[in-house]
Amino acid sequence: MKFPLQFIYDWYRNAIRHPQYRWWVILGTLVYFISPLDISPDVFPIAGQIDDFVLITLLMTEIFQMIIERFQNNSEIIVEESPEGETIEVKAVSIDES
């Protein structure tokens, strides 16, 4: 039975991007990183750190990607204020040129 690495990556990415499970996944990743019980124990010099390195790299990549996406989404929303401090609502209309 094959268990592809892409499946694990996709599951982890979907779990961390789900707001309900995000903090549980982050907490679980950090506990796994600190815990002496690993898939490959840390007593083996290089092989022991590979799973920890991969997991922390995946966690940091996803967190940074979510932060970048949040800043990109916030920069797209522009609110203009009038000199009196009132918000001006503007209806956006798209024009399709055919």
Side-chain angles (χ1 to χ4, degrees), residues 5-39:
L5 193 57
Q6 186 66 34
F7 173 76
I8 296 171
Y9 174 73
D10 290 340
W11 176 85
Y12 188 86
R13 184 174 184 171
N14 290 335
I16 202 167
R17 289 177 180 266
H18 194 283
Q20 185 178 2
Y21 304 120
R22 179 175 298 142
W23 291 110
W24 288 109
V25 172
I26 292 171
L27 180 66
T29 302
L30 294 176
V31 167
Y32 180 83
F33 179 70
I34 295 170
S35 173
L37 302 174
D38 287 347
I39 292 173

Side-chain angles (χ1 to χ4, degrees), residues 31-83:
V31 167
Y32 180 83
F33 179 70
I34 295 170
S35 173
L37 302 174
D38 287 347
I39 292 173
S40 61
D42 293 338
V43 294
F44 303 118
I46 303 231
Q49 282 88 21
I50 289 176
D51 62 332
D52 293 337
F53 176 74
V54 169
L55 201 58
I56 289 298
T57 303
L58 184 59
L59 174 67
M60 297 306 289
T61 302
E62 290 303 316
I63 288 176
F64 287 138
Q65 187 66 31
M66 287 188 301
I67 290 170
I68 289 169
E69 287 175 3
R70 179 168 291 187
F71 280 124
Q72 286 176 347
N73 289 340
N74 286 343
S75 67
E76 293 174 2
I77 301 172
I78 299 172
V79 176
E80 296 181 18
E81 292 188 17
S82 67

